[in-house]
Amino acid sequence: MFRTVGDQPSLFESVLPQELLRLPAELERVDALLDDPAFFAPFVPYFDPRIGRPSTPMETYLRLMFLKFRYRLGYESLCREVSDSITWRRFCRIPLDGSVPHPTTLMKLTTRCGGAAVDGLNEALLAKATEAKVLRTTKLRADTTVVPSNVSYPTDSGLLAKAIRRIAATGKRIQAAGGATRTTVRDRSRAAGKRAHAIGFKLRSRSAAGRDEALAAVRRTTGELADLAETAATDAERLLTNAKHALRRARAKATARKETGEHDGAAGRRRGRLARAIDDLEGLVTATRQITAQTRQRLAGQTPDGATRRVSLHDPDARPIAKGRLGKPIEFGHKAQLVEGDDGVIVDHNVERGNPADAPQLAPAVDRVRTRAGSPPRTVTADRGYGEKAVEDDLRDLGVRNV
């Protein structure tokens, strides 16, 4: 159930000295800003207005998230600091005798609402800035950067070994949830780990002759890892087929029990775990097939296309991006474009999948800024990555004078 505001202050707070109740100037301004109901609207689609357990009040959640990013705190340290501070409790609208939301509650709320809610908050904030006439968009500067994914440096052998381990672990989850219990699942994690360690050992060879021999051994062992991954993926597909049959039978039984008025909460939770494990294994099999194919391509002497290369099991859209930075020539993640106004405030941003070209992103971003501000910017500045005549023509069509 969706809640926007929390409980009223306790009677104890009414007798506290005013010095304890007064917020610092910055928090006082933010507190007044976040009282606008427009900041609650992005969260409405994710909650039922009447049914379910009452959610954490959105006014509390928004203020907690502000403190988290303002002071660069983790979820646990945030909750600990808020619990220990009267000022922060007052700012977050948490009564002194009330409990601070648990860190996992905040994590689940953030995951549930996702990026769409954040985009809605940004739009609401920019709308208020435009209404207050503090948004300066006469001059814009655009640039791209990399949003790194939470991945270690991806190698073909490392990704294959990790995929084999994950397939085995997810298969065990499926069987523990009651799916495909009679299907034999072979755990090839140990064999994959031995080959991955062998590759690391061979690459530590220092002599020139030994290095050539080591590279040949690495290629051979990587091929063996690819064979193991293909076999594991094939076994996983057979397991998936049987697990889906089991899930359909479980759902049919649940429907029959519901018609007779029976309810089994434990069975429902098992079905949920089974459905999630099946979805996870399907994604893993797809990723494993893709990684195996690009490994075979590299072993054949070809370089996989960077636009489609898989570099992560859990982030399918992450790509290798070369930005030419010292010490980190290639990064792995997503490309983001930032557009800032005269005073350095970011007035538009977008995160793209993979590594698209810079130039086609500029005109749509300027158009979004023009829509928000109500008038086009006079000047737009960008680097050579945007230097195309078509981009300049599009910007001039939008009303930009200087490019």
Side-chain angles (χ1 to χ4, degrees):
M1 186 173 65
F2 187 56
R3 284 202 303 167
T4 56
V5 297
D7 300 329
Q8 295 295 321
S10 62
L11 180 63
F12 172 70
E13 294 180 51
S14 62
V15 299
L16 291 176
Q18 288 299 317
E19 289 76 10
L20 291 177
L21 301 179
R22 189 177 299 115
L23 294 175
E26 180 187 14
L27 294 185
E28 188 175 7
R29 292 195 300 270
V30 174
D31 183 64
L33 177 67
L34 293 180
D35 276 336
D36 192 329
F39 293 109
F40 302 147
F43 298 95
V44 172
Y46 301 96
F47 298 90
D48 191 281
R50 295 181 301 275
I51 301 174
R53 183 184 303 173
S55 68
T56 299
M58 281 302 111
E59 64 173 7
T60 299
Y61 174 74
L62 287 173
R63 287 163 172 79
L64 285 169
M65 290 299 100
F66 169 79
L67 293 175
K68 179 183 184 300
F69 288 99
R70 173 66 178 83
Y71 297 101
R72 299 183 180 182
L73 300 173
Y75 285 101
E76 293 184 357
S77 56
L78 168 69
C79 295
R80 187 168 55 249
E81 293 293 335
V82 172
S83 298
D84 198 43
S85 171
I86 294 178
T87 300
W88 281 17
R89 274 180 173 270
R90 292 277 301 168
F91 172 70
C92 295
R93 309 288 174 86
I94 300 175
L96 296 182
D97 57 348
S99 59
V100 176
H102 195 271
T104 56
T105 301
L106 300 179
M107 295 178 196
K108 290 177 181 178
L109 272 175
T110 304
T111 303
R112 180 177 187 175
C113 299
V118 175
D119 292 340
L121 289 174
N122 286 330
E123 290 294 336
L125 183 60
L126 290 172
K128 284 189 68 68
T130 303
E131 182 182 353
K133 297 183 179 180
V134 296
L135 191 65
R136 299 179 181 178
T137 58
T138 305
K139 299 177 182 178
L140 299 181
R141 187 175 72 88
D143 199 3
T144 57
T145 186
V146 178
V147 180
S149 294
N150 187 20
V151 297
S152 56
Y153 194 91
T155 61
D156 293 330
S157 58
L159 288 173
L160 289 171
K162 190 179 296 184
I164 293 170
R165 290 196 300 269
R166 291 273 301 277
I167 285 175
T170 310
K172 292 177 182 177
R173 283 173 51 201
I174 287 177
Q175 293 188 324
T181 54
R182 296 182 181 180
T183 305
T184 302
V185 179
R186 182 178 174 184
D187 189 348
R188 294 178 171 81
S189 302
R190 186 175 180 181
K194 288 174 63 177
R195 285 166 174 79
H197 286 303
I199 289 175
F201 176 77
K202 289 293 184 181
L203 289 176
R204 286 193 288 270
S205 177
R206 295 182 179 275
S207 64
R211 191 178 302 115
D212 294 337
E213 181 183 349
L215 288 177
V218 166
R219 293 173 64 86
R220 183 175 61 254
T221 308
T222 303
E224 294 174 1
L225 267 175
D227 293 338
L228 275 177
E230 285 184 343
T231 305
T234 302
D235 292 347
E237 288 172 345
R238 186 175 66 253
L239 178 68
L240 275 172
T241 301
N242 296 334
K244 288 178 180 178
H245 289 322
L247 182 60
R248 283 195 293 269
R249 289 194 298 269
R251 286 173 173 169
K253 290 180 181 179
T255 303
R257 281 196 298 266
K258 186 176 181 180
E259 292 175 352
T260 60
E262 299 179 16
H263 176 70
D264 188 349
R269 289 190 290 273
R270 282 196 302 273
R271 287 196 308 275
R273 289 196 296 269
L274 179 57
R276 288 191 294 272
I278 288 174
D279 291 341
D280 291 345
L281 188 56
E282 284 183 328
L284 272 174
V285 170
T286 302
T288 303
R289 295 290 190 192
Q290 185 176 353
I291 294 168
T292 303
Q294 69 190 30
T295 301
R296 300 285 191 199
Q297 186 178 1
R298 192 181 295 277
L299 291 175
Q302 303 173 4
T303 301
D305 184 9
T308 58
R309 180 187 166 193
R310 187 76 180 244
V311 298
S312 171
L313 289 175
H314 64 271
D315 190 348
D317 298 320
R319 294 292 180 268
I321 301 174
K323 297 294 284 185
R325 296 177 180 173
L326 293 177
K328 194 181 286 187
I330 298 178
E331 300 176 78
F332 301 93
H334 306 262
K335 180 177 284 187
Q337 177 180 257
L338 303 177
V339 180
E340 62 182 23
D342 301 19
D343 49 3
V345 174
I346 295 176
V347 295
D348 186 82
H349 79 284
N350 60 293
V351 180
E352 300 291 335
R353 293 184 176 183
N355 184 20
D358 293 351
Q361 303 179 50
L362 184 56
V366 174
D367 190 26
R368 290 192 294 269
V369 174
R370 183 188 66 166
T371 302
R372 294 188 191 104
S375 60
R378 285 204 310 265
T379 303
V380 174
T381 305
D383 59 21
R384 292 182 181 178
Y386 297 93
E388 296 181 5
K389 186 178 185 304
V391 175
E392 295 186 16
D393 294 340
D394 291 341
L395 292 179
R396 296 193 188 282
D397 291 341
L398 292 173
V400 180
R401 300 178 187 175
N402 305 314
V403 180

